[in-house]
Amino acid sequence: GGPGQAARRVLAGTVEAILLYGVQAWGNYASEEVWKELERPYHRTRTRVIAGYSSMAVTAAGIISGMPPLDLRGRELALRSEGASGREARQSILNEWLKRWDNGQGSTWTRRVLREPRMWLERRHGEVEACHAYALSGHGPFGEYERQRKFVECGRCPSCYSVPDDVEHAVFGCTRWRVLVEGFERGGRTWTPEDLVSGLLASPEEWREATNLLRLIFGGRRMN
């Protein structure tokens, strides 16, 4: 419940404005250590914007939320103050951001499901909510995730028993949701990790349909 992503982005803008106050004057002189310190509260802000777990990777949270690394956001503001248009400044930092994503480490699951990050970042429909954050990051109410963090002793699926309850099984393989998935796939849709994002991006209607299925899956899991 609560406000959607658009409203949360407005609130996150307050945090961003505080962290980047006067960045045009000091941004070029800040060390890598300074930017890492500033990224810590900003990462938590990102995860709250998408209602995700704070344990997700910084790189994954940035791409999923559409909020770039703080140093690149500072560079964008500096470029605009120097006379660049908003579009020019955004494209400049977007290119550098995607280059870092391509060369980065970690976020293995997010890289698998979100294979076209530029299309995701430039989409014109769809607000991210908790169900998307869970499915795209792999950090969520999954038995295997909770076992790795010692919240539970057993990370097996409560429905399939012998199968590890990781994100791939929970969202795409669990027999508990077979009827729902079969209903979703009627009409030529597919429900696989590789097709999730392309389906969401296909159209506003497809975004709604896939989102509704994710909501049902995660809503049902919370009732276990």
Side-chain angles (χ1 to χ4, degrees):
Q5 185 191 17
R8 294 195 296 269
R9 281 293 294 269
V10 173
L11 298 173
T14 302
V15 178
E16 180 183 285
I18 294 170
L19 294 173
L20 293 178
Y21 180 75
V23 69
Q24 295 87 343
W26 56 263
N28 290 335
Y29 306 100
S31 66
E32 185 177 346
E33 289 72 22
V34 168
W35 286 115
K36 285 183 178 179
E37 277 300 309
L38 293 173
E39 275 287 350
R40 292 179 182 178
Y42 198 54
H43 172 63
R44 185 170 291 276
T45 301
R46 286 193 193 98
T47 59
R48 288 180 176 179
V49 164
I50 58 176
Y53 282 28
S54 60
S55 59
M56 72 172 67
V58 171
T59 51
I63 291 289
I64 296 170
S65 66
M67 298 167 68
L70 202 59
D71 66 313
L72 292 184
R73 177 58 176 151
R75 187 186 305 176
E76 179 182 2
L77 296 175
L79 288 172
R80 294 179 68 173
S81 70
E82 293 167 2
S85 68
R87 180 175 178 80
E88 291 171 339
R90 182 67 177 180
Q91 284 300 314
S92 176
I93 69 113
L94 179 60
N95 292 335
E96 174 61 26
W97 186 9
L98 294 175
K99 187 183 300 183
R100 292 185 188 182
W101 174 258
D102 291 338
N103 297 331
Q105 302 295 321
S107 307
T108 304
W109 174 256
T110 303
R111 291 175 190 280
R112 178 182 171 186
V113 295
L114 220 166
R115 294 178 294 171
E116 297 293 340
R118 183 181 291 273
M119 293 178 62
W120 175 263
L121 294 171
E122 294 182 341
R123 72 185 188 280
R124 296 185 177 277
H125 66 264
E127 288 194 1
V128 178
E129 52 191 82
C131 62
H132 303 110
Y134 301 156
L136 295 177
S137 71
H139 290 233
F142 312 118
E144 188 62 18
Y145 170 87
E146 294 174 346
R147 184 195 65 79
Q148 291 172 1
R149 283 154 181 79
K150 303 186 186 305
F151 299 149
V152 298
E153 293 184 2
C154 177
R156 299 291 178 178
C157 175
S159 298
C160 305
Y161 303 110
S162 63
V163 181
D165 187 34
D166 58 14
V167 57
E168 183 170 5
H169 172 76
V171 178
F172 301 100
C174 184
T175 57
R176 183 176 180 182
W177 319 116
R178 182 170 296 164
V179 173
L180 295 176
V181 171
E182 288 175 352
F184 175 83
E185 289 180 331
R186 294 192 186 101
R189 299 189 186 102
T190 54
W191 188 248
T192 67
E194 289 73 21
D195 294 320
L196 173 61
V197 170
S198 60
L200 286 166
L201 297 179
S203 68
E205 180 183 0
E206 292 299 313
W207 180 285
R208 286 193 297 271
E209 291 296 324
T211 299
N212 286 337
L213 179 52
L214 288 172
R215 286 173 181 160
L216 288 170
I217 289 173
F218 287 112
R221 293 180 64 80
R222 282 193 291 268
M223 292 171 64
N224 287 334

